[in-house]
Amino acid sequence: MAPRFDISGLDDVIHGRVRLGIVAYLASAEVADFTELKDVLEVTQGNLSIHLRKLEEAGYVSIDKSFVGRKPLTRVRLTETGRAAFGTYLKAMGQLVEQAGGSS
């Protein structure tokens, strides 16, 4: 019988590839503008917008929109809630890796 893996700690909001990339990047960068995230993650504007909205709805990121001259500027930050959720997510992933290593 295969060992049971506890995946309950994996946050579905973070676990998506693009959202995980956003959260991981913001964890070290503190703040990033929309274009920077789009370029770093190599995603389209529409795709990034959808993922940012999901993270914002969960309270994991805050999004500030302003103008520099006439050019719009969207800046994204990881909230304390988002930082805590990312820490919990990383801990859960670490436990899965340990479980996988122990089952060999």
Side-chain angles (χ1 to χ4, degrees):
M1 180 177 203
R4 182 179 175 280
F5 279 164
D6 181 9
I7 59 171
S8 63
L10 295 181
D11 186 327
D12 288 339
V13 174
I14 294 175
H15 193 66
R17 181 181 67 85
V18 174
R19 291 187 302 271
L20 178 58
I22 293 167
V23 172
Y25 187 78
L26 291 174
S28 63
E30 295 295 323
V31 63
D33 68 43
F34 187 89
T35 302
E36 177 182 357
L37 284 172
K38 184 176 76 69
D39 292 345
V40 166
L41 299 172
E42 298 180 343
V43 294
T44 65
Q45 279 185 249
N47 196 355
L48 181 57
S49 291
I50 289 167
H51 290 292
L52 285 174
R53 187 175 314 120
K54 184 152 182 126
L55 289 168
E56 184 180 37
E57 288 170 356
Y60 291 177
V61 299
S62 64
I63 299 174
D64 299 309
K65 296 184 179 206
S66 63
F67 284 89
V68 176
R70 292 182 175 207
K71 185 176 179 184
L73 178 64
T74 301
R75 296 175 61 81
V76 184
R77 295 179 191 277
L78 198 58
T79 63
E80 288 302 316
T81 300
R83 193 169 296 282
F86 186 49
T88 300
Y89 177 87
L90 291 177
K91 183 178 177 185
M93 284 299 292
Q95 290 170 345
L96 281 178
V97 169
E98 286 180 25
Q99 288 175 355
S103 66
S104 306

